[in-house]
Amino acid sequence: MESTPSILFFLPFVVVVNVISLVSSSDAAPVIEINVWPKPISVSWSGPAAIAVPLSPSFRVVNPYSEHPYLSAAAARYTRLLLLERYRPLRPPSLNLSSSAPPLSSLALSVVDPSAPLRHGVDESYTLSITANTSSSVSELSAATPWGAMRGLETLSQLAWGNPPAVAAGIRIEDRPLFPHRGLLLDTSRNFYPVRDILRTIRAMSHNKLNVFHWHITDSQSFPLLLPSAPQLALRGSYGPDMRYSPADVRRVVRYAMNRGIRVIPEIDAPGADEVNPACWEQDPAIRRFLAGGGTHDQLLGMFVNATRPFIVSALNRTVVYWEDVLLGSTVKVVSPGLLPPETTVLQTWNNGPNNTKRLTAAGYRVIVSSSDFYYLDCGFGGWVGNDSRYDRQTGDEPGRPFNYAGGNGGSWCAPFKSWQRVYDYDITHGLSAAEAALVLGGEVALWSEQADGSVMDGRLWPRAAAMAEALWSGNRDGDGRKRYAEATDRLHEWRQRMVSRGIAAEPIQPLWCVMHPSMCNLVQ
């Protein structure tokens, strides 16, 4: 219901720590719990005892790349966060504050390729180490690119807690993402979101190491984007003069995202309504004449793709992303796959779960996974159409037509609600061969906005989007290949609490009693 064979395109320059139970290198060392989300790929400890050291009030990031505006901004931002956040954990880490090691006064930052542009597939790996002894406390962050350095700075910020702040020491983290595309789709057409809400969402994304903001700017309901080349689209198509995005607004969003290592992918929903509505197309006299002459809706879509795609791919040097409907749509689709060569096409799948991912990758297409069965965060909130008398059933539904009872969907076409566990446990390469899995770029959770706006968006997105963030960064399985949802529950409690302290109104996932009694609320141990 929510997607159409719309066109998205990558812009080359417009882009667009959890409670981890680990054993140190010493066999006698106890299990050590820290909090970093998403869980890093590798964490090791250098000594037999885990310690923490105070953070110096004059702590600073030694950044030799002052000419890099985004990295410089990130270094300053995380310095402030480390000194001022003073997060109070629900359950403090089992780390003893060293009485002999001096405070940590700086972080030495090194980047292999400071000029690496922010684009799909950029290296986001980093290594963070914090050592401490009686004579010195030293921290070092090395990364392949500035964007990986930003991920490491986020990890460092989550290793700090308390008032005055302390930070874990004797620790080394080597980290990198499993998938290069880790995104969040926000629909700003069905309901309008002020820029401040979009910026808050991008900030929360950066805390979770997500790296793509898919901005579904327009749809059949409204056209809030003010285009200087075609201003009437917004002047007539927006909900009102205070519900439009100006060029300055777009620049602000893109700049804010760049400062946090996040690409912005804009989507201008065309040529649909919500999926292709042939009756809507047929209101146009020229289309009626074309159909009367023997033409088909499929041919019309093919003509649109053939007219727009070469300009985007060749003239603008962009990569085109289409919703899967352009090939798999049940009503209208491109019947000539030759119009969409896999070499220059990315398809975003939302329907039919892993089955459509399999169909597309088997055909050689690169895929972004947004399965409505797992990743649609608007599902399960009932129907949004008015005057639906089916809600007025006091004791039971009409026989044979469940709606309010007996597993009915309550008016939500994609019910039930997608819990964080449902999001976390999704394996986006399920059922694929190794060659097919290699074509999966990553995934995106989606918030379609028939029943959402800025007043509720935080709770709709978080911490469920955080669940996907970890699954795509370091996976959802432990070293033995078992799903780690039980272990992740306790960590997600703590991460949700820190997000709330950072001004993100994430929903709770359990009673606080469960937080204070880890694993006691789990069905699976």
Side-chain angles (χ1 to χ4, degrees):
M1 174 181 174
E2 252 82 11
S3 66
T4 71
S6 327
I7 293 180
L8 299 82
F9 45 92
F10 292 108
L11 306 183
F13 65 93
V14 173
V15 274
V16 272
V17 236
N18 19 178
V19 182
I20 302 174
S21 297
L22 298 161
V23 179
S24 77
S25 56
S26 169
D27 291 338
V31 171
I32 301 167
E33 294 181 345
I34 60 171
N35 192 54
V36 178
W37 191 282
K39 190 170 189 174
I41 293 291
S42 171
V43 180
S44 58
W45 298 86
S46 61
I51 62 170
V53 296
L55 195 69
S56 170
S58 59
F59 175 85
R60 66 191 183 96
V61 176
V62 181
N63 174 27
Y65 314 101
S66 57
E67 73 284 357
H68 195 289
Y70 305 120
L71 186 55
S72 295
R77 184 171 65 252
Y78 278 104
T79 297
R80 292 191 299 270
L81 185 62
L82 281 158
L83 292 173
L84 299 177
E85 181 175 33
R86 307 194 174 203
Y87 172 65
R88 180 181 176 182
L90 295 170
R91 297 179 63 248
S94 302
L95 301 173
N96 296 319
L97 187 64
S98 173
S99 59
S100 58
L104 183 64
S105 60
S106 64
L107 171 74
L109 182 62
S110 63
V111 175
V112 174
D113 184 6
S115 63
L118 181 57
R119 60 187 178 191
H120 173 74
V122 69
D123 192 332
E124 297 174 272
S125 64
Y126 69 91
T127 299
L128 173 65
S129 63
I130 306 172
T131 59
N133 52 46
T134 56
S135 61
S136 65
S137 296
V138 178
S139 61
E140 298 176 321
L141 173 61
S142 61
T145 68
W147 321 107
M150 291 183 188
R151 310 302 177 226
L153 288 168
E154 175 60 38
T155 294
L156 176 62
S157 77
Q158 296 182 28
L159 288 172
W161 82 97
N163 187 11
V167 65
I171 189 172
R172 178 180 175 86
I173 295 176
E174 297 181 35
D175 207 7
R176 65 190 181 280
L178 295 178
F179 291 94
H181 187 111
R182 307 177 308 281
L184 183 154
L185 178 155
L186 182 66
D187 163 26
T188 62
S189 171
R190 291 171 175 89
N191 274 311
F192 181 81
Y193 292 76
V195 169
R196 65 177 179 274
D197 295 322
I198 295 175
L199 300 185
R200 186 175 69 257
T201 297
I202 290 173
R203 177 166 63 85
M205 290 174 62
S206 71
H207 294 320
N208 286 275
K209 298 186 175 73
L210 295 175
N211 65 355
V212 174
F213 177 61
H214 174 168
W215 191 357
H216 186 92
I217 306 179
T218 74
D219 212 304
S220 57
Q221 286 81 3
S222 76
F223 198 104
L225 180 62
L226 187 59
L227 297 173
S229 59
Q232 290 301 316
L233 287 171
L235 296 179
R236 296 184 178 182
S238 66
Y239 289 128
D242 58 343
M243 289 185 278
R244 298 171 186 150
Y245 301 111
S246 68
D249 291 331
V250 175
R251 285 192 293 268
R252 183 182 177 194
V253 169
V254 170
R255 189 182 311 114
Y256 191 91
M258 287 285 289
N259 272 321
R260 287 154 181 80
I262 293 173
R263 294 184 299 124
V264 176
I265 298 182
E267 179 183 358
I268 308 299
D269 193 299
D274 183 37
E275 282 94 40
V276 171
N277 185 337
C280 180
W281 284 14
E282 290 164 15
Q283 294 180 30
D284 183 89
I287 289 180
R288 289 200 300 270
R289 289 193 297 270
F290 178 82
L291 296 174
T296 67
H297 295 93
D298 289 346
Q299 289 173 335
L300 282 169
L301 181 59
M303 292 166 62
F304 174 83
V305 169
N306 201 36
T308 56
R309 177 187 173 83
F311 174 73
I312 296 171
V313 173
S314 300
L316 297 180
N317 192 29
R318 268 69 165 176
T319 297
V320 186
V321 184
Y322 298 93
W323 286 104
E324 63 177 15
D325 307 59
V326 75
L327 283 182
L328 305 181
S330 58
T331 304
V332 180
K333 60 180 176 293
V334 171
V335 294
S336 174
L339 290 177
L340 300 171
E343 298 78 17
T344 54
T345 302
V346 174
L347 295 175
Q348 187 153 355
T349 177
W350 66 277
N351 199 17
N352 205 22
N355 298 311
N356 278 9
T357 305
K358 177 77 172 179
R359 292 176 66 184
L360 295 173
T361 54
Y365 287 100
R366 291 168 291 165
V367 172
I368 298 167
V369 177
S370 292
S371 171
S372 61
D373 292 335
F374 295 87
Y375 281 176
Y376 272 26
L377 303 186
D378 58 304
C379 297
F381 289 92
W384 53 270
V385 295
N387 298 330
D388 191 338
S389 62
R390 290 176 296 177
Y391 292 108
D392 186 23
R393 302 289 299 194
Q394 306 300 310
T395 58
D397 291 317
E398 185 178 337
R401 302 182 66 181
F403 186 77
N404 299 298
Y405 304 89
N409 62 22
S412 172
W413 72 272
C414 56
F417 176 89
K418 313 307 176 191
S419 69
W420 78 263
Q421 297 99 321
R422 180 70 168 168
V423 175
Y424 189 84
D425 285 347
Y426 188 31
D427 294 325
I428 63 174
T429 60
H430 175 77
L432 304 184
S433 68
E436 291 164 348
L439 294 173
V440 176
L441 305 181
E444 292 179 2
V445 289
L447 182 59
W448 302 99
S449 297
E450 286 91 346
Q451 296 171 290
D453 61 16
S455 65
V456 302
M457 68 183 301
D458 283 13
R460 297 283 169 92
L461 290 172
W462 312 104
R464 293 186 293 161
M468 186 201 70
E470 178 163 297
L472 297 189
W473 180 274
S474 56
N476 55 19
R477 299 175 184 270
D478 61 21
D480 296 323
R482 296 187 298 260
K483 291 282 179 75
R484 62 186 185 208
Y485 43 82
E487 174 265 350
T489 302
D490 300 325
R491 296 189 289 108
L492 188 57
H493 270 305
E494 197 70 62
W495 177 231
R496 177 262 170 183
Q497 185 77 2
R498 191 184 282 250
M499 279 198 290
V500 170
S501 75
R502 292 181 175 185
I504 308 300
E507 287 187 340
I509 62 172
Q510 282 181 326
L512 275 175
W513 188 92
C514 300
V515 184
M516 303 305 181
H517 301 80
S519 300
M520 292 297 290
C521 296
N522 293 342
L523 289 177
V524 179
Q525 302 297 328

